[in-house]
């Protein structure tokens, strides 16, 4: 009599498949790496451009800290600093405006309202009135100055 054979005896040994090499990369992997690198380059360029755009404003804020006292010379220097900022970002034509147009431009670019009386007192021959309020507004205008998308020098 034959010995009963187990059905498991007919199975062959399981052979594990060979490991898949990681190199060369597949086309989807290459595409993903290329897209990620392109996004990093674009982001780096955007950060660098933003840094260049804000460079003049940061320099103006740094210079404005040197004019802390509220005497006439310092207030005039702050006003000229604000004019330089406008010239740098918006052009010479915008910076050459005077009177109401200049005050409107300052209000639009820095959300700071200056009065025409303060501006006129700034350049009068005899000025003995305190300029603390005007000094604070000019400092605020420089700190809040809104830069434009393109630099016009």
């Amino acid at each position: 009599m034959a010995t009963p054979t187990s059905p498991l005896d007919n199975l062959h040994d399981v052979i594990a498949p060979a490991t898949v090499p990681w190199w060369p990369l597949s086309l989807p992997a290459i595409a993903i790496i290329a897209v990620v690198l392109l996004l990093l380059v674009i982001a780096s360029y955007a950060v660098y451009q933003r840094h260049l755009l804000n460079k003049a404003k940061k320099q103006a804020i740094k210079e404005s800290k040197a004019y802390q006292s509220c005497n006439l010379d310092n207030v005039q220097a702050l006003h000229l600093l604000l004019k330089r900022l406008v010239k740098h970002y918006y052009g010479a034509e915008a910076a050459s405006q005077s009177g109401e147009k200049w005050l409107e431009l300052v209000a639009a670019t820095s959300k700071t309202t200056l009065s025409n009386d303060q501006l006129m007192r700034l350049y009068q021959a005899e000025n003995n009135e305190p300029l603390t309020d005007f000094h604070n507004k000019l400092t605020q205008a420089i700190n809040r100055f809104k830069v434009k998308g393109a630099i016009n020098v």
Side-chain angles (χ1 to χ4, degrees):
M1 202 170 169
T3 61
T5 60
S6 168
L8 295 176
D9 290 340
N10 292 336
L11 292 177
H12 298 289
D13 290 336
V14 176
I15 299 173
T19 59
V20 178
W22 66 274
W23 192 262
L25 296 176
S26 65
L27 289 178
I30 292 172
I32 289 172
I33 290 172
V35 167
V36 167
L37 287 175
L38 182 66
L39 289 175
L40 284 174
V41 167
I42 290 171
S44 299
Y45 181 74
V47 166
Y48 179 69
Q49 288 297 319
R50 187 72 179 164
H51 169 72
L52 288 180
L53 185 65
N54 287 327
K55 195 173 185 179
K57 180 181 175 183
K58 287 179 184 177
Q59 181 65 29
I61 291 172
K62 183 179 173 184
E63 287 181 28
S64 72
K65 291 181 180 173
Y67 305 115
Q68 291 298 324
S69 63
C70 296
N71 61 19
L72 181 62
D73 292 335
N74 286 349
V75 176
Q76 286 176 344
L78 283 175
H79 188 246
L80 290 176
L81 193 58
L82 184 60
K83 285 264 190 187
R84 280 182 21 212
L85 265 179
V86 170
K87 181 179 179 184
H88 181 75
Y89 287 108
Y90 296 96
E93 186 177 322
S96 66
Q97 294 179 2
S98 61
E100 290 298 322
K101 287 185 177 183
W102 170 248
L103 297 176
E104 290 172 9
L105 181 70
V106 170
T109 58
S110 64
K111 307 238 185 303
T112 304
T113 56
L114 303 175
S115 71
N116 200 15
D117 294 336
Q118 290 173 324
L119 193 59
M120 291 302 153
R121 282 188 316 173
L122 186 60
Y123 293 103
Q124 288 177 347
E126 291 184 21
N127 188 359
N128 297 328
E129 297 180 34
L131 297 168
T132 307
D133 184 46
F134 195 54
H135 178 274
N136 293 338
K137 285 185 177 184
L138 285 173
T139 305
Q140 181 182 20
I142 292 170
N143 289 332
R144 289 183 175 179
F145 190 79
K146 180 174 60 174
V147 297
K148 193 165 92 168
I151 299 176
N152 296 327
V153 180

